[in-house]
Amino acid sequence: MSAVSENPLVPMQRRRPLQPVDVVQRTIGYVLLVLLVLFCLVPFAWVLLSAVDQNAGATVQWPTWSFDNFTRFFAAPGTPMLVINSLVVAIGSTVLNLALGVAGGYALSRFDFRGRRFFMFSILLIRVVPAPATIVALYLIMVNLQLTNTLHGLILVQAVGGLPVTLWLMKGTVDAIPLELEEAAWVDGSTRLQAIRRVVLPLIGPGLGAAAMLQFMGSWGDFLTPLVMLQSQELYPLAIGLFRAFSERDHVDWGLLAASAIVYVLPPAILYIFVRKHLLRSSLGGALKG
């Protein structure tokens, strides 16, 4: 006999035979899990199949394979401009948001001033207020600044709207960088701005990527703000274009609508694939070793 079995202090572990109640519970769990998966996958399956179906309908069906829906999407007058407007607004607001967020996050992390804690929680409180509750006041402000019905006005609103989350994210990221690294750069003769560019910016990649992803997706998927701020159809983003295509016609072109949804999903998906590898990578360990 083995040493384990001879030792009376080590109990023998035996599997308890499955009881009928266990089998029923496990079966119910698997059935519920399958139903949940189907509930989540069927809408995506409809979009994918309808986008390549010439005779797409409101139900899931095997398609007659064709890319005519995508051809009609890009050939339709005004449709490419919807995509361009969405890209301009999303990229512009993301760049502005990151620039302000990095500067503000560094200041909140490295400078100790009176009221800093109150200020941080105050700006986070902005995200608690629902957007429809402030959209009228925001619209009146933009009217007084003469920034309504402009893409740069929409970029400013969306960039500032996502700034609280970016500030908190960047502050936490800068907090994780030891101040000794900057002090070493100061000793070498670098100014504070030079130390930020040479030391801090290369180390905040994961936080910067997460902030960029959140801001881009929030701006790309925003519907209420451009609906209120823009009046000219040539300035509309793709989100409003999809809504108008679905609501303003007696007959819905399901194939064209599905192809538009695929195009609408692609930019955030591509950005996620590009940023994903940077989100889990930290350069701080390599910097400390060096």
Side-chain angles (χ1 to χ4, degrees):
M1 297 180 64
S2 63
V4 176
S5 60
E6 290 177 357
N7 189 351
L9 299 179
V10 180
M12 295 294 293
Q13 296 182 356
R14 297 179 180 178
R15 286 189 175 183
R16 184 175 63 88
L18 288 177
Q19 301 295 326
V21 177
D22 298 331
V23 175
V24 173
Q25 291 178 348
R26 184 172 297 183
T27 302
I28 293 176
Y30 283 133
V31 170
L32 293 177
L33 184 61
V34 170
L35 292 177
L36 180 62
V37 170
L38 291 177
F39 179 79
C40 296
L41 291 182
V42 166
F44 290 101
W46 177 86
V47 171
L48 291 174
L49 295 177
S50 299
V52 292
D53 188 1
Q54 284 184 331
N55 303 314
T59 58
V60 179
Q61 61 185 14
W62 191 252
T64 54
W65 297 94
S66 173
F67 291 97
D68 182 63
N69 293 325
F70 292 97
T71 303
R72 291 189 296 120
F73 173 82
F74 288 104
T79 302
M81 188 56 63
L82 297 175
V83 180
I84 295 174
N85 291 338
S86 294
L87 289 174
V88 169
V89 172
I91 295 175
S93 64
T94 301
V95 172
L96 180 59
N97 177 271
L98 293 181
L100 297 175
V102 169
Y106 180 87
L108 291 173
S109 176
R110 293 295 192 246
F111 298 102
D112 189 10
F113 53 89
R114 181 177 297 180
R116 182 181 65 169
R117 184 179 180 86
F118 175 78
F119 173 75
M120 290 181 58
F121 283 99
S122 297
I123 60 175
L124 191 61
L125 185 64
I126 299 175
R127 300 293 297 180
V128 180
V129 181
T134 59
I135 193 65
V136 175
L138 181 61
Y139 175 76
L140 294 177
I141 293 174
M142 300 302 288
V143 168
N144 292 329
L145 296 177
Q146 298 182 355
L147 291 176
T148 56
N149 201 33
T150 60
L151 290 182
H152 56 273
L154 181 59
I155 289 173
L156 178 62
V157 170
Q158 292 187 343
V160 174
L163 193 56
V165 175
T166 305
L167 283 174
W168 271 81
L169 220 141
M170 298 314 303
K171 183 208 178 282
T173 304
V174 176
D175 283 343
I177 301 175
L179 182 60
E180 289 78 6
L181 294 177
E182 289 186 72
E183 292 175 344
W186 299 341
V187 171
D188 290 339
S190 298
T191 63
R192 181 177 288 272
L193 290 178
Q194 290 173 340
I196 293 174
R197 180 173 58 86
R198 297 173 182 175
V199 177
V200 177
L201 290 182
L203 298 178
I204 61 174
L208 204 61
M213 190 71 200
L214 291 175
Q215 175 61 31
F216 185 90
M217 292 183 64
S219 177
W220 184 264
D222 190 11
F223 175 79
L224 178 62
T225 307
L227 182 65
V228 174
M229 296 294 171
L230 302 177
Q231 290 81 42
S232 302
Q233 295 186 9
E234 60 270 13
L235 298 178
Y236 281 165
L238 188 55
I240 297 182
L242 286 175
F243 171 75
R244 290 167 60 89
F246 183 78
S247 62
E248 292 188 356
R249 298 180 182 178
D250 297 333
H251 174 70
V252 178
D253 192 336
W254 298 106
L256 182 59
L257 187 63
S260 304
I262 294 293
V263 176
Y264 187 60
V265 170
L266 281 179
I270 293 174
L271 179 63
Y272 171 76
I273 294 173
F274 178 76
V275 173
R276 178 176 58 89
K277 61 181 180 180
H278 298 285
L279 295 180
L280 301 178
R281 180 189 305 172
S282 177
S283 303
L284 185 55
L288 292 177
K289 291 179 183 178

